[in-house]
Every structure is written in C-alpha cells, then in structure tokens.
Amino acid sequence: MNPGLSEGDICTYPRSDGSWGFFWVQRIDALPDGRDALSLRKFDTHTAEEVRREDAADVAELKTVRLLGHFPIVGTRVAEAAPRVIGRMPVSEEDLEGYRIWREAFDQGEAGVFTLALEQI
C-alpha cells in the first residue's frame, strides 16, 4: 500500500519521542507479492516542532541537510508513520546510486525490503 506519496516528495512524520523526522521519496516499486516498496532517504535531522508545507524557509533549509543512505521499506510501514508531504525535490540519476545497487540485488534474490517501523530504520 502506497500511503499517497510520489517520487520526489519530502515528508515529515511524528516520532514516538515527540520530535519530527524527515524523509525523501526516491522511487516507488511494486513488489511481486503486491505490496509497494518505497525507496527512501532520511534527512539527518529531527525537529521539536512540526515543519509544514507553508513553512517555505524551513523546507528550503531542510533541502540543504545531509541525507542518510538509501533504504527500501514496505509502503504499509510508511503509511503507519502518518507522513505529511511538506515539499518536493527532484530525483536525479546520480541520487539513485544506492537504489540501483539495491534493485539489482533484489532482482537477483539477494536483497529484501525493510518491514520495521519507519522510525526504527
């Protein structure tokens, strides 16, 4: 299940400690079992207060924050995190190096998809 997100979306989600986390959607793939795999990268930051789409300066600043490595996760676990789209950032071919490595290994049966809660990754 895709939680209504699109490639290039920048999202925020509430964390169990009361802070807010952020991630970027790079790819969405259909899995053989019918589920969706979202290929994400988290921004290396959390905030005490929610950043909203209307907070243009905060979203622009977020785009300058270091991104952590790529990880594929099932869409149901992303949906459980109740993400909110706050912006967009184009996904270029050079952004997809981690995704391509994972995808090749996945297609050969040598890699999987995370089923942990988004916050635990």
Side-chain angles (χ1 to χ4, degrees), residues 6-27:
S6 299
E7 293 174 3
D9 283 347
I10 297 172
C11 302
T12 187
Y13 64 99
R15 295 172 44 88
S16 61
D17 64 2
S19 68
W20 293 84
F22 304 91
F23 65 85
W24 179 34
V25 181
Q26 291 193 306
R27 283 288 182 259

Side-chain angles (χ1 to χ4, degrees), residues 11-14 18-22 46-55 58-59 82-86:
C11 302
T12 187
Y13 64 99
S19 68
W20 293 84
F22 304 91
H46 299 102
T47 60
E49 302 207 5
E50 180 181 9
V51 174
R52 299 169 317 214
R53 183 184 297 267
E54 297 80 31
D55 302 325
D58 291 337
V59 174
R84 298 175 180 114
V85 177
I86 58 171

Side-chain angles (χ1 to χ4, degrees), residues 1-120:
M1 172 183 132
N2 176 349
L5 303 178
S6 299
E7 293 174 3
D9 283 347
I10 297 172
C11 302
T12 187
Y13 64 99
R15 295 172 44 88
S16 61
D17 64 2
S19 68
W20 293 84
F22 304 91
F23 65 85
W24 179 34
V25 181
Q26 291 193 306
R27 283 288 182 259
I28 301 171
D29 291 300
L31 297 173
D33 64 6
R35 297 180 299 171
D36 286 329
L38 280 72
S39 292
L40 309 179
R41 289 182 71 185
K42 286 187 177 179
F43 290 89
D44 192 15
T45 190
H46 299 102
T47 60
E49 302 207 5
E50 180 181 9
V51 174
R52 299 169 317 214
R53 183 184 297 267
E54 297 80 31
D55 302 325
D58 291 337
V59 174
E61 182 179 347
L62 181 64
K63 291 178 182 181
T64 69
V65 172
R66 182 174 79 94
L67 287 160
L68 303 176
H70 157 270
F71 64 94
I73 181 173
V74 293
T76 51
R77 296 308 294 221
V78 177
E80 289 170 5
R84 298 175 180 114
V85 177
I86 58 171
R88 296 206 30 87
M89 192 162 67
V91 180
S92 70
E93 280 304 309
E94 63 188 38
D95 294 322
L96 296 174
E97 179 182 5
Y99 167 79
R100 284 191 299 272
I101 292 167
W102 166 78
R103 188 66 215 206
E104 183 177 330
F106 180 83
D107 290 343
Q108 295 174 3
E110 298 173 357
V113 178
F114 282 104
T115 58
L116 297 169
L118 177 61
E119 183 176 341
Q120 295 178 312

